[in-house]
Amino acid sequence: MARLLPAAASLVLAVLVPVAARADSWTFQWLVEAFEQRGFSVLGSHPRCAERGLYGLYLRESRRIVVCPRGNLNDTLLHEGWHAVQSRCLRGRPHLGEEELRRGLGRRDRHDLARLYGEGRWQREAEARVMARRDPASYFRLVDELCGSPVPPPAPAPPVGAPQGQAVKRTGS
């Protein structure tokens, strides 16, 4: 069998490795910062984290995403982050069609969703599971498309004593 050059082998692996596995190569801190740039806070604890089997939640009124300290933190953050997108940007409307959801879910996911969620919540939960498996770069491009660009960092305050309404001279480049 012919040997693949390292670059060709990398390309083959990139095609064959599932998207969810590639998402694990992004650090949790990078994902947290990406959500924070978009105006969300990510918390590592909440009283509800004591509930058995709860990995995270989205607190709608406060734009806070909770990731409980168990399981795959990246997956949980992307899943709960998608609930934030559903709530804030889609206003409860689904983004993916039912057929696309069924294709994106494994047999175990379909079984868990049918067992855990009623018909009213199945679509939201299924969509969050499917979206959490996307490559984070395309995930955040879609978030920006649906919700608007990331929130720019606040402008630095002018130095104390600077005259109001006048430019502040800056040095350096």
Side-chain angles (χ1 to χ4, degrees), residues 2 10 26 28 40 42 52 59 65 68 76 90 107 129-130 136-138 146-147 151-153 164-165 167 173:
S10 295
W26 295 69
F28 180 71
F40 296 96
V42 178
R52 185 174 175 220
L59 304 170
I65 301 167
C68 300
T76 300
L90 296 171
R107 188 175 55 152
R129 285 189 185 203
V130 169
S138 64
L146 296 171
C147 302
V151 176
Q164 291 281 338
S173 53

Side-chain angles (χ1 to χ4, degrees), residues 35 38 40 56-61 63-65 75-98 101 105 113 117 119-132 134 139-140 142-148:
F35 277 104
R38 288 156 178 87
F40 296 96
L57 61 146
Y58 171 59
L59 304 170
R60 290 186 183 118
E61 297 79 29
R63 295 180 65 101
R64 292 185 295 172
I65 301 167
D75 185 55
T76 300
L77 179 53
L78 292 168
H79 177 98
E80 297 304 330
W82 191 256
H83 284 313
V85 171
Q86 290 171 324
S87 176
R88 290 274 179 194
C89 309
L90 296 171
R91 306 273 189 237
R93 294 182 318 272
H95 177 69
L96 302 175
E98 191 169 328
L101 290 176
L105 294 170
L113 288 166
Y117 300 101
E119 195 60 40
R121 290 189 55 206
W122 181 91
Q123 174 109 16
R124 288 177 55 82
E125 288 301 322
E127 188 173 278
R129 285 189 185 203
V130 169
M131 293 305 297
R134 287 206 171 168
Y139 175 100
F140 284 109
L142 183 58
V143 169
D144 293 341
E145 178 184 313
L146 296 171
C147 302

Side-chain angles (χ1 to χ4, degrees), residues 2-12:
R3 300 190 104 198
L4 288 175
L5 296 173
S10 295
L11 180 61
V12 169

